[in-house]
Amino acid sequence: MAPKAKNKSLPFDPNGMFSGMTVFLIETAVQPRRVQIWKQKLVQMGAKIEDSFSKRVTHIFAPDMNSLLQKMDGDRLKRFKGKVLNYQWLEDSLRMGEKVPEGSYVLSMGTGGNSRSEGTEENLEKHTDGNNLSVDNPSPVKKIKTCCEESRTVGSGEGGKVSANAGSTSASSHSSRSLSPEVTSPSLDGQYGDVSTSDTALLYSPPDLNRNITAIFGKLIDIYRALGDDRRSFSYHKAITVIEKLPFKIESADQVKHLPGIGKSLQDHIQEIVNTGKLSKLEHFEKDEKVRTISLFGEVWGIGPATAMKLYEKGHRTLDDLKNEESLTNAQKIGLKYFHDIKKRIPRHEAQEMESLLQKVGEEILPGVVIVCGYIYIYIYISCGDLDIIITHPDGKSHIGFLPKFVQRLKDTNFLREDLIFSIHSEEGTDSGVDTYFGLCTYPGRELRHRIDFKVYPRDIYAFGLIAWTGNDVLNRRLRLLAESKGFRLDDTGLFPATQSSGGKRGSRGSASLKFGTEKEVFDFLGFPWLEPNERNL
């Protein structure tokens, strides 16, 4: 039977985007939980579900043609006048908040998968930011999944931080979720079991119906980050994570004034956007030469707010102006040279193929090595801005010396092309023993550069790396503040007792981290409610 039409997250809408559809679902080779959620969403948005095939059916959904033919007679299927679509159409439509073109998702006799109709590539680009989306048969269960684009700071460069941005953190990067086949958790202890990313995206990432607001807030995030104002950029980030999940279109700020992270100032911004379709604050920034220039320079890998300001004060106004700037570091020059490459997103199917390549090479060098792409359960995109790879080994010692061999093998095959940061600490035991490599890679057979990061963690602090790279900014900040309230300093390398400086203020972190075997142990110690990886998009 179809699930009840109403639940807490999304009210029943008889005129929703699936109104008029009568659906029959082929459940072979699909996780029951995924089917339950699909049915729920279909009914909530106006469709009717048939438990068996009948003349009333207008749409059949199946994972592939082989699964369909196991359940239905071929001759009967040929007489069917309705639409036979891959489940991916349903998932992508839910993600986009509107029906996407059907042509590329049609299942036809003899294909065993999808048949891409003429002219659908152009239509798909309108829904995938120009990246062609591969909708072939879902790939099998894997240990790692495509990671997302997310600006973050890492210890290096000016002021102890270097901006490792892989492009804009605009609203599109926050909301363009994609739904993929189920994946296997990276836990070494079987802590999570199998997690369906379809469940993840449908439960925790409803369609962003308020892109008019989140797109503007996303631009303000970029501007404030470039200006070094982390407090303001974070406030807009928190607001986006709340607004993008709303199951209704905001028509008045009164509808969101009681929501967390939406204060009076943001309410005024929302009301202005609703009334006028724009925000005067953003327009002011975009007209300001200084803000515009610093924001542009801040998009170059390795250039942070302080350097961007110095470059502006030297009279530079364009990227071309920077080409002969002698003060740039080698990494910054590489970031400038491949500026436009780095900003281009990686289509999902290409990212998955590159992940498979990394797994294969890693196993050849060190059997049993664990290679995971960060944010695998929260940000599941149709494309990603860069690849963030977390590595460890279960025995707690074989990770030592792995990264140089891994990097060299990948360079020998021309997968890795340029180095940005390469630091080895595992052998010396410094910096918590975390080995780090940031660089540029290429999809096999191409010259287009993409950003890629490797972090190799000792097994006893691997849990901290997973938390940092699977939790969004909001969660990581809350955990850090909670740790500080308990007298600790938390980062991706561990949980350290905080020393006290003169005057009673918090000083530097201690030299040794507490040891925890799993992420849940860290959550429990901090007193923060346990969140599965697919719940960490706060």
Side-chain angles (χ1 to χ4, degrees), residues 191-260:
Q191 183 176 331
Y192 311 136
D194 288 346
V195 178
S196 165
T197 55
S198 279
D199 294 3
T200 297
L202 290 177
L203 286 174
Y204 301 104
S205 302
D208 181 4
L209 303 178
N210 296 284
R211 294 187 189 91
N212 57 324
I213 297 171
T214 56
I216 290 175
F217 282 7
K219 291 179 180 179
L220 289 172
I221 288 176
D222 294 336
I223 289 172
Y224 280 121
R225 278 181 171 170
L227 295 176
D229 193 335
D230 291 336
R231 183 181 65 82
R232 283 193 173 88
S233 68
F234 186 69
S235 68
Y236 286 104
H237 178 85
K238 287 193 298 182
I240 284 178
T241 60
V242 173
I243 294 172
E244 70 179 357
K245 297 178 183 178
L246 296 177
F248 58 84
K249 187 170 181 62
I250 299 173
E251 297 178 351
S252 169
D254 289 339
Q255 295 173 280
V256 296
K257 64 182 180 181
H258 299 302
L259 295 178

Side-chain angles (χ1 to χ4, degrees), residues 496-516:
F496 304 86
T499 62
Q500 295 295 317
S501 63
S502 58
K505 294 184 179 181
R506 186 193 64 182
S508 61
R509 71 182 193 182
S511 59
S513 170
L514 301 184
K515 308 298 183 182
F516 295 100

Side-chain angles (χ1 to χ4, degrees), residues 275-472:
N275 291 341
T276 68
K278 55 188 179 181
L279 185 63
S280 56
K281 182 175 187 176
L282 176 61
E283 291 184 333
H284 170 74
F285 277 140
E286 291 178 335
K287 292 176 182 177
D288 187 296
E289 182 186 58
K290 181 177 180 180
V291 172
R292 191 170 62 245
T293 303
I294 292 175
S295 297
L296 173 64
F297 293 167
E299 292 182 41
V300 177
W301 196 94
I303 294 182
T307 297
M309 177 65 76
K310 290 178 181 177
L311 293 171
Y312 175 82
E313 291 173 346
K314 283 187 174 184
H316 299 307
R317 296 294 181 267
T318 69
L319 295 180
D320 285 339
D321 293 344
L322 301 182
K323 291 182 178 179
N324 297 318
E325 175 55 50
E326 296 181 355
S327 68
L328 294 183
T329 66
N330 183 62
Q332 291 167 344
K333 290 177 181 177
I334 292 173
L336 177 63
K337 180 178 179 180
Y338 295 104
F339 177 84
H340 296 291
D341 279 18
I342 292 172
K343 288 181 68 66
K344 292 182 180 179
R345 297 179 66 78
I346 310 170
R348 177 177 61 196
H349 68 282
E350 292 186 8
Q352 290 173 333
E353 290 173 21
M354 287 191 280
E355 289 174 343
S356 296
L357 182 153
L358 295 174
Q359 283 186 307
K360 181 176 183 294
V361 172
E363 271 296 325
E364 291 174 353
I365 297 173
L366 178 61
V369 67
V370 178
I371 299 177
V372 173
C373 191
Y375 290 86
I376 54 178
Y377 294 106
I378 299 176
Y379 298 109
I380 311 296
Y381 286 100
I382 59 173
S383 62
C384 61
D386 63 357
L387 297 174
D388 298 321
I389 309 299
I390 314 166
I391 302 169
T392 194
H393 195 280
D395 68 8
K397 58 184 180 182
S398 295
H399 67 282
I400 298 175
F402 170 77
L403 187 58
K405 298 176 184 176
F406 191 48
V407 168
Q408 188 58 53
R409 182 77 63 86
L410 294 170
K411 285 183 176 181
D412 291 342
T413 59
N414 278 335
F415 178 79
L416 291 180
R417 307 299 286 271
E418 284 81 25
D419 301 336
L420 296 171
I421 294 176
F422 199 174
S423 59
I424 302 298
H425 299 286
S426 59
E427 295 180 1
E428 295 84 3
T430 59
D431 193 26
S432 301
V434 177
D435 295 340
T436 299
Y437 175 87
F438 293 165
L440 302 183
C441 68
T442 56
Y443 181 80
R446 294 186 187 168
E447 291 299 313
L448 182 69
R449 264 54 168 182
H450 298 298
R451 281 277 298 107
I452 189 166
D453 299 343
F454 298 130
K455 299 279 281 189
V456 181
Y457 293 89
R459 175 63 187 94
D460 57 5
I461 61 171
Y462 176 63
F464 297 106
L466 282 179
I467 290 173
W469 294 86
T470 60
N472 69 353

Side-chain angles (χ1 to χ4, degrees), residues 476-495:
N476 280 313
R477 180 160 174 153
R478 289 182 181 176
L479 291 176
R480 287 196 301 270
L481 291 174
L482 184 58
E484 289 173 9
S485 71
K486 297 178 178 295
F488 292 89
R489 297 284 296 275
L490 173 68
D491 59 29
D492 71 307
T493 66
L495 183 65

